């Protein structure tokens, strides 16, 4: 069903944006059997052509009767374990996914694919393992949780909670925790279904040393809740910090940071935070190895550090 806006300046609702994301995924599917083989290779790519490709990923297993596949992530540091994650094939959503998103008032992006900012966050955490050692960590809006799993497997964190508001995503997280349990050492790893507007999380309030998140500031209607839950979860008293990676995307990031200030928190923005990531970004901007449509404003994640 198509709806018309009352004015040319009307902004699309979050639900309509979710529908656009889902409809692109549904329409992307093969229309006849002859397309299945070629399409399968594209779906298995994990958006590699558009990502930063910082953590090598290899297909392990794909049941052609399932929307899922197993992927092996090789963390690019000597001595680190490999991670095996079961994920949806790219752009393989259906109407059931959309119904769940509307029921829980969540977006569908976490299950559509793994996004480039998650790859950047995971790589950054791997490169800064000391900030997580013996700490309690939570990843917000994790999607498949590559960053959370990387922290759990490589940093000797005390505890890692990998959270998302989508119950389907949380099922994947639980499955992948069980699959990779031998990689976590003494680190406790837990899945959690967490909506950012939940006020009654007394058992979690002000308990986390580090919060991490990637590409969670796209939908402006969720900014207030995300800022509030960040303040709620950051440990106090004592030092604590949130590490967010997000493209600027017009004024979307600025609007979120206004909410951060309104919650009494401080923040800093860093554009060049890792030489390798910046070099790849520069290559993309020059047209080398880039997927179509790479734009700095929409694709390059800035580092946001949030403190009390």
């Amino acid at each position: 069903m198509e709806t018309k806006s009352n004015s040319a300046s009307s902004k699309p609702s979050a639900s309509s944006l979710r529908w656009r994301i889902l409809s692109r995924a549904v329409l992307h599917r093969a229309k006849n059997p002859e397309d299945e083989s070629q399409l399968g290779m594209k779906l298995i790519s994990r958006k590699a052509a558009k990502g930063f490709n910082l953590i090598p990923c290899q297909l392990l297993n794909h049941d052609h009767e399932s929307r899922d596949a197993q992927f092996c992530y090789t963390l690019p540091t000597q001595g680190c374990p490999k991670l095996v994650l079961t994920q949806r094939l790219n752009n393989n959503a259906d109407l059931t996914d959309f119904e769940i998103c509307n029921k829980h008032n969540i977006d569908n992006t976490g299950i559509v694919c793994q996004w480039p900012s998650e790859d950047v966050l995971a790589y950054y955490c791997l490169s800064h393992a000391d900030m997580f050692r013996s700490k309690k960590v939570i990843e917000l809006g994790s999607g498949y949780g590559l960053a959370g799993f990387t922290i759990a497997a490589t940093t000797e964190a005390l505890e890692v909670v990998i959270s998302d508001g989508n119950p389907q995503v949380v099922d994947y997280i639980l499955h992948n925790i069980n699959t990779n349990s031998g990689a976590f050492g003494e680190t406790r790893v837990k899945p959690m279904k967490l909506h950012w507007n939940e006020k009654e999380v007394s058992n979690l309030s002000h308990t986390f040393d580090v919060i991490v998140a990637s590409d969670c500031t796209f939908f402006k209607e969720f900014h207030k809740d995300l800022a509030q839950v960040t303040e709620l979860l950051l440990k106090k008293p004592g030092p604590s910090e949130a590490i967010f990676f997000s493209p600027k995307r017009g004024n979307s990031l600025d609007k979120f940071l206004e909410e951060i200030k309104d919650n009494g928190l401080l923040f800093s923005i860093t554009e060049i935070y890792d030489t390798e990531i910046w070099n790849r970004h520069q290559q993309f901007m020059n047209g080398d190895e880039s997927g179509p449509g790479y734009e700095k404003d929409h694709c390059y994640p800035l580092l946001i550090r949030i403190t009390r």
Side-chain angles (χ1 to χ4, degrees):
M1 180 177 68
E2 182 178 2
T3 59
K4 296 182 180 179
S5 61
N6 294 326
S7 68
S9 61
S10 296
K11 296 181 179 179
S13 66
S15 60
S16 68
L17 289 172
R18 290 197 293 269
W19 171 248
R20 291 178 191 178
I21 292 171
L22 177 64
S23 63
R24 283 197 295 268
V26 172
L27 293 174
H28 187 70
R29 293 185 180 185
K31 295 183 179 180
N32 62 70
E34 294 179 359
D35 293 333
E36 288 184 358
S37 177
Q38 183 177 0
L39 178 60
M41 292 305 298
K42 293 180 179 179
L43 293 175
I44 288 168
S45 71
R46 311 308 306 157
K47 280 193 176 292
K50 297 182 181 179
F52 287 82
N53 301 320
L54 296 160
I55 299 180
C57 175
Q58 179 183 6
L59 174 69
L60 289 184
N61 180 46
H62 172 220
D63 179 355
H64 292 282
E65 296 182 358
S66 170
R67 293 186 291 173
D68 296 342
Q70 274 193 329
F71 298 88
C72 178
Y73 290 87
T74 302
L75 303 178
T77 299
Q78 187 174 4
C80 288
K82 294 182 178 182
L83 296 172
V84 176
L85 302 185
T86 298
Q87 303 172 184
R88 285 275 186 90
L89 296 172
N90 277 356
N91 298 316
N92 214 25
D94 61 20
L95 291 177
T96 301
D97 300 323
F98 181 57
E99 291 168 355
I100 290 173
C101 289
N102 277 346
K103 177 181 178 180
H104 295 277
N105 190 30
I106 55 177
D107 69 78
N108 196 50
T109 54
I111 207 166
V112 167
C113 69
Q114 188 154 274
W115 298 91
S117 291
E118 177 79 1
D119 184 44
V120 170
L121 174 60
Y123 184 83
Y124 182 87
C125 293
L126 182 63
S127 303
H128 297 79
D130 287 348
M131 73 166 57
F132 303 102
R133 188 164 290 114
S134 302
K135 302 292 180 62
K136 293 186 67 174
V137 183
I138 185 169
E139 181 176 10
L140 299 178
S142 67
Y144 294 110
L146 178 61
F149 282 108
T150 299
I151 294 169
T154 65
T155 70
E156 298 180 0
L158 178 65
E159 177 179 280
V160 177
V161 177
I162 306 175
S163 74
D164 199 277
N166 188 326
Q168 293 177 292
V169 172
V170 176
D171 288 342
Y172 281 100
I173 295 169
L174 176 59
H175 175 84
N176 290 327
I177 288 174
N178 293 333
T179 299
N180 295 277
S181 59
F184 304 141
E186 299 299 318
T187 300
R188 300 190 300 269
V189 187
K190 304 176 182 178
M192 177 174 289
K193 179 174 169 290
L194 178 64
H195 288 283
W196 298 336
N197 62 359
E198 291 183 23
K199 306 303 180 184
E200 298 299 325
V201 287
S202 57
N203 59 320
L204 298 178
S205 297
H206 308 307
T207 59
F208 288 98
D209 301 288
V210 186
I211 299 171
V212 297
S214 63
D215 220 345
C216 286
T217 65
F218 178 76
F219 292 109
K220 294 179 183 178
E221 74 169 34
F222 298 140
H223 284 175
K224 184 179 292 292
D225 291 336
L226 178 56
Q228 288 177 349
V229 80
T230 299
E231 193 285 327
L232 181 68
L233 295 175
L234 281 175
K235 186 180 73 175
K236 69 175 184 181
S240 58
E241 182 176 26
I243 304 293
F244 282 24
F245 279 92
S246 180
K248 192 171 177 62
R249 290 208 177 96
N251 68 350
S252 181
L253 179 59
D254 292 336
K255 291 293 186 182
F256 169 68
L257 294 175
E258 289 177 10
E259 296 290 347
I260 287 294
K261 287 193 294 185
D262 289 345
N263 278 271
L265 299 173
L266 306 174
F267 67 86
S268 66
I269 305 174
T270 305
E271 181 178 40
I272 304 175
Y273 44 83
D274 182 274
T275 301
E276 180 62 28
I277 296 171
W278 182 253
N279 286 342
R280 296 193 186 197
H281 162 68
Q282 294 286 74
Q283 291 173 359
F284 294 165
M285 292 298 293
N286 292 331
D288 299 334
E289 303 178 9
S290 172
Y294 183 90
E295 297 177 2
K296 181 178 181 181
D297 183 75
H298 287 269
C299 300
Y300 181 72
L302 300 171
L303 167 60
I304 317 299
R305 304 185 75 154
I306 301 169
T307 58
R308 295 193 178 280

